[in-house]
């Protein structure tokens, strides 16, 4: 793999910036193109067919940017569209975030009972239970959809009483002090690491909270050759969004952990692909 081509990263919105942040730490000398499909967020409440269609359009736009690796930094798209995305961009490698998240949880759990919180689409598709049971067949998995967390994170309300109330409502049924409560919680949505603080408050401090970011970045580092040269400097990041670039620049830094310059955020359109026929949604 060559160093000169960028790594493409995509999510429905800003959540994938938490994965980009981990990628930057693992591969600091790589250049990145991040695509947030902000016009179509949320993906998590949409049908698998719609998410696949949107995912294919985003992948197509990143291929046009000449990326050497595509990181699907959206659990919902990873859960329902990964095979279609891999087929569409082959031979360019595609990394999803579900398997890395499952890997992190299997390493962390002692009791073998893992909870997954995610969007409705990810929960409905059962991608995490499948990935977890492939790695550890005896594992017990409890899932809970937390769609409101996406809106809270995008709004910048990841702390405070509203976020805390939502966390109690979603998580108390999972962590009620029983001896067989899960001992590990997967943040199965790339938006959720922003709410880590309030989530940890509701779970007992003994619960290990894991997400896909670091494990996905480690897998990316294995795929990208010449990692030893990656200490030499920091290369560029460009951001492409399908709506509200100024909002993305303003709030994106909360997710990325470094500032997002408005000049680096470009507005693009993701038109239907040729085989989709008409329609603009
Ligand atoms: N960040 C997306 C994910 O990881 C969810 C946000 C959305 O619903 O679009 O699933």
């Amino acid at each position: 793999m060559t160093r000169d081509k960028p790594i493409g990263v995509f999510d429905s919105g800003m959540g994938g910036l938490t994965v980009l942040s981990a990628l930057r730490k693992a591969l600091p000398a790589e250049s990145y193109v991040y695509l947030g499909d902000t016009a179509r967020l949320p993906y998590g409440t949409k049908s698998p067919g719609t998410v696949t269609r949107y995912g294919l359009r985003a992948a197509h736009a990143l291929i046009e940017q000449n990326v050497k690796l595509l990181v699907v930094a959206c659990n919902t798209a990873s859960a329902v569209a990964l095979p279609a995305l891999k087929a569409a961009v082959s031979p360019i490698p595609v990394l999803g975030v579900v398997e890395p998240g499952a890997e992190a949880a299997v390493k962390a759990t002692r009791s073998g009972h893992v909870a997954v919180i995610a969007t409705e689409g990810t929960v409905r598709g059962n991608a995490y239970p499948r990935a977890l049971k492939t790695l550890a067949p005896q594992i017990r998995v409890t899932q809970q959809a937390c769609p409101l967390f996406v809106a809270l994170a995008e709004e910048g309300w990841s702390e405070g009483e509203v976020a805390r109330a939502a966390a109690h409502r979603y998580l108390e049924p999972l962590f009620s002090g029983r001896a067989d409560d899960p001992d590990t919680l997967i943040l199965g949505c790339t938006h959720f690491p922003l709410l880590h603080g309030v989530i940890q408050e509701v779970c007992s401090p003994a619960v290990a909270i894991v997400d896909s970011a670091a494990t996905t970045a480690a897998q990316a580092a294995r795929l990208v050759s010449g990692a030893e040269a990656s200490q030499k400097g920091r290369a560029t990041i460009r951001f492409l969004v399908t709506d509200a670039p100024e909002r993305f620049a303003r709030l994106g830094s909360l997710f990325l952990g470094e500032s997002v310059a408005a000049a680096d955020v470009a507005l693009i359109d993701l038109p239907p692909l040729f085989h989709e026929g008409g329609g603009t949604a």
Side-chain angles (χ1 to χ4, degrees):
M1 237 182 252
T2 50
R3 182 162 296 282
D4 39 328
K5 292 183 178 183
I7 294 175
V9 182
F10 113 83
D11 179 41
S12 54
M14 298 182 210
L17 292 172
T18 58
V19 178
L20 179 58
S21 168
L23 285 164
R24 293 263 287 168
K25 288 191 184 98
L27 293 163
E30 297 294 333
S31 288
Y32 297 89
V33 185
Y34 179 94
L35 169 52
D37 191 8
T38 44
R40 295 174 186 81
L41 177 108
Y43 280 13
T45 51
K46 301 201 165 70
S47 69
T50 297
V51 172
T52 304
R53 201 154 36 91
Y54 293 170
L56 287 170
R57 292 184 202 174
H60 182 78
L62 285 169
I63 293 304
E64 285 188 336
Q65 299 290 321
N66 206 17
V67 299
K68 61 181 170 187
L69 166 67
L70 176 62
V71 179
V72 184
C74 172
N75 285 267
T76 311
S78 298
V80 304
L82 205 61
L85 294 171
K86 283 184 171 167
V89 310
S90 172
I92 292 165
V94 179
L95 260 186
V97 285
V98 170
E99 267 91 25
E103 192 187 310
V106 167
K107 276 197 193 122
T109 186
R110 295 286 162 262
S111 69
H113 186 189
V114 170
V116 180
I117 55 171
T119 65
E120 288 168 46
T122 301
V123 167
R124 213 180 321 112
N126 278 318
Y128 270 102
R130 270 200 308 279
L132 286 160
K133 283 175 194 289
T134 302
L135 295 170
Q138 307 306 325
I139 212 156
R140 185 173 156 211
V141 187
T142 304
Q143 299 194 90
Q144 171 68 51
C146 305
L148 210 54
F149 282 173
V150 175
L152 288 167
E154 290 269 334
E155 191 63 30
W157 287 16
S158 49
E159 291 166 1
E161 58 185 309
V162 180
R164 200 166 293 118
H168 276 280
R169 183 73 183 262
Y170 285 138
L171 299 174
E172 265 170 10
L174 300 180
F175 300 100
S176 55
R178 289 180 303 259
D180 67 343
D181 278 354
D183 73 343
T184 301
L185 174 65
I186 300 180
L187 304 184
C189 171
T190 51
H191 282 69
F192 294 1
L194 259 79
L195 288 111
H196 190 287
V198 291
I199 291 170
Q200 187 82 70
E201 268 178 40
V202 178
C203 312
S204 116
V207 172
I209 298 181
V210 299
D211 66 55
S212 312
T215 10
T216 303
Q219 286 198 8
R222 285 199 287 277
L223 281 170
V224 173
S225 63
E228 67 283 354
S230 69
Q231 303 308 322
K232 284 189 183 152
R234 263 169 118 68
T236 57
I237 319 186
R238 282 181 300 125
F239 302 96
L240 308 173
V241 296
T242 51
D243 197 14
E246 64 299 325
R247 184 173 190 277
F248 185 92
R250 186 161 35 86
L251 292 173
S253 58
L254 296 174
F255 290 76
L256 187 60
E258 55 184 293
S259 68
V260 175
D264 294 333
V265 186
L267 182 64
I268 61 156
D269 190 21
L270 290 182
L273 300 177
F274 179 69
H275 63 267
E276 285 181 35
T280 51

